[in-house]
Structures are given as C-alpha cells and as structure tokens.
Amino acid sequence: MTTNAAYADRCLLELVQHVFEHRSGLLPPLHYGELAQRIGRVRPDGSGVGIGMGDVLGTMGRKLDILSGEWGEIPHIQSLVVSKHGPNKGVPDDGITSIWPDYDQLTIAEKRHKAQIEYQRIGEFGSRWNDVLQAMELSLPRPTGDEVPQGRGESEYHRRLKEFVCANPEVVGLTANAVGIIEYPLPTLDAVDVLFKTEGGCVAIEVKSAVSDRYKKDYERGIFQVVKYRSLLTAMSKVTGYSITGNIDALLVLEGHLPDCYRPLANTLEVSLLENVKVES
C-alpha cells in the first residue's frame, strides 16, 4: 500500500513539473482530484481520489518546511492545488490555514488574490525547484529548456518582525483586540505585511527589518509601499467584495532607523514612521 509520504514525494515532482511547463505564462492551478490522478491515487475506474489529498499535501509541506529551515522560506507550492466545487471553488481549501493562519478570514476575492501572489513567488523561484528536488533526493523532472531566473525568499528577520507586530498591535498604537492579518492580499497581486482591522477601520503596516540597512533603497521602497497601500485600501473600500471599511491608515515600521536622506521624502508624502521596534522573545 502506498503511504502518504510516498504520495507526497510524487506530488512535489508533479507540481514542480507543472511549474516548469508553464514558466513562460500564467501558472494555472490544479484540482485535488486532478493531482490525485497524476500521482496514481485513483479509483478502479481511473479517476483521481481527491478526498484525503489535504493530508498528502500536508505531509509534503512538512518536508519542505524542514528544508526551509536551512534555505530560508520556500514558496508554498501546495497552494497550486485548489477546490473544484464548494465555497472555495477555484482557490485552496481552508485546510491551508496550516501555512496561512488568517486564510479562512478572507473573502473569496481576497483568497484569490492571496493565491495569485503565491503563484508569482512559485514561478519566480525558478530553477531553484531543481535544487529542492535534489536536496530531497528525488528524481529531477525531464529537461525544461532554459533556466528561469532564481527568486529570493523572505528573510527570517523580516518574518519575525512581521509576526511580532501582528501579535502585538499595541506596538503600533492599537488596542489589544485589533485583528491582525499577515500578508493581506491586494488586487495588485502583492500583499500588505500586516493589516489590522479595528472597530473604526483598518491600518496597513509595512515592516522593514535591520536587513534593509544593507540595501538602503529598500527604505525608499517601503515609503512608497505605504503610499500605495493607503490608496489601494481606500479604493477597495468603495467597491464590493472586500472587507475594508471605516478610516484607513498606513504605517512604516522599522527595526532600525530611517536613513536621514529619506526623511524629506517621508515627510512630503506624509508617511508615518515607527522606528526602533525590536522583536521580543
């Protein structure tokens, strides 16, 4: 009898092959039953058994998490598998809250944006998927032609700062009952590091860890991201399909200090700053 671990390895091979086959265009998702059929998890009539695929993908994800500890974050390739029917039709099912804890709080439109953002990361990871397979001692897919550019994952410092702010809304001047959502998806297919929802509205938080000291321009990017988030959230509050209401604000949170050369820009664009925020154990 084939074990979940064996099916998990087959899933990873199939999903990586799927990514390589679509590297020059949009990355389409697969239905649970479709992937089940590809890995040989089938009924007597040959149709894929989608029930239980969440457990198989969970096993695969845990294997990748172990590798992520050595490499930095590996994109969540399991998000390419979506529901064919039901309230989550066309997006990953709510079982993916094991990697996206706030996913079940999102509307269907927000879930779709969340998935599309991840699909971009999966595609941008490029030829490094071959390295992942090799590290897990799996046979490589057939040749894929020219390599695609390698992506770079989120740093551990950025992730820790983001999670600390989300868990401690009082750090940014909010009450403890403010609801924080990490990586809140936007229609532009990028994401706010942390979005807090309060009784009065919402506050978008862009965080920059001390790693940005090595890339000073990253602070400039952060300032413009805050401006973008304010405008986008305001626009989203005016249309249906999004849970954005009330007063909208945005804030740049820094583990260190904003370089002096960017203070005039922040002042001109009326970007609020919170500096010297340290992650507490």
Side-chain angles (χ1 to χ4, degrees):
M1 180 177 180
T2 306
T3 64
N4 266 7
Y7 279 134
D9 288 345
R10 295 181 192 176
C11 278
L12 183 57
L13 285 165
E14 286 295 333
L15 290 172
V16 170
Q17 185 62 53
H18 182 72
V19 171
F20 286 162
E21 287 173 351
H22 295 88
R23 70 187 189 281
S24 60
L26 293 175
L27 187 53
L30 297 169
H31 296 134
Y32 291 99
E34 184 179 1
L35 180 59
Q37 186 177 45
R38 291 190 183 195
I39 66 172
R41 195 171 183 269
V42 296
R43 301 181 179 87
D45 65 0
S47 61
V49 181
I51 296 173
M53 281 296 293
D55 292 336
V56 174
L57 291 169
T59 299
M60 184 194 78
R62 286 188 289 275
K63 290 187 174 187
L64 291 175
D65 285 343
I66 293 171
L67 197 60
S68 289
E70 303 171 8
W71 290 31
E73 187 178 25
I74 296 172
H76 300 301
I77 197 169
Q78 60 266 54
S79 65
L80 282 171
V81 191
V82 303
S83 298
K84 190 173 184 179
H85 307 287
N88 285 321
K89 180 180 179 180
V91 298
D93 211 351
D94 284 344
I96 207 166
T97 51
S98 61
I99 57 173
W100 292 337
D102 305 310
Y103 183 77
D104 57 355
Q105 300 178 34
L106 304 179
T107 67
I108 188 67
E110 292 165 343
K111 289 177 177 179
R112 191 172 297 113
H113 294 322
K114 178 79 172 177
Q116 287 295 332
I117 292 167
E118 194 67 17
Y119 298 166
Q120 288 186 161
R121 293 181 65 239
I122 292 167
E124 289 169 358
F125 202 64
S127 59
R128 293 189 70 192
W129 286 116
N130 277 319
D131 300 330
V132 169
L133 294 181
Q134 188 172 24
M136 297 181 71
E137 299 182 346
L138 297 176
S139 300
L140 298 176
R142 59 181 179 271
T144 58
D146 295 335
E147 290 187 344
V148 293
Q150 294 188 4
R152 61 187 180 99
E154 176 184 43
S155 76
E156 177 71 10
Y157 302 99
H158 185 270
R159 182 189 64 78
R160 288 178 61 207
L161 180 59
K162 181 174 64 179
E163 292 178 352
F164 174 74
V165 170
C166 186
N168 298 276
E170 62 275 11
V171 168
V172 295
L174 300 175
T175 58
N177 63 353
V179 178
I181 298 175
I182 292 176
E183 292 293 320
Y184 177 81
L186 298 167
T188 49
L189 302 187
D190 52 357
V192 179
D193 283 336
V194 181
L195 182 77
F196 284 109
K197 294 186 179 181
T198 68
E199 292 183 1
C202 65
V203 180
I205 307 294
E206 172 69 15
V207 308
K208 295 295 179 188
S209 74
V211 171
S212 293
D213 287 341
R214 305 175 197 168
Y215 315 99
K216 300 293 186 184
K217 292 286 286 185
D218 200 32
Y219 288 111
E220 179 184 43
R221 178 170 170 263
I223 291 170
F224 280 106
Q225 283 173 309
V226 169
V227 173
K228 179 176 70 172
Y229 298 157
R230 281 193 314 224
S231 298
L232 268 173
L233 290 169
T234 299
M236 292 165 66
S237 71
K238 297 177 180 178
V239 298
T240 57
Y242 304 105
S243 54
I244 303 299
T245 58
N247 297 322
I248 293 167
D249 200 0
L251 179 68
L252 181 60
V253 173
L254 309 178
E255 187 176 20
H257 294 280
L258 184 72
D260 288 341
C261 60
Y262 292 125
R263 290 190 184 277
L265 177 64
N267 291 335
T268 297
L269 298 178
E270 299 180 345
V271 170
S272 299
L273 301 171
L274 184 61
E275 301 174 85
N276 200 34
V277 175
K278 303 302 182 185
V279 176
E280 300 174 2
S281 301

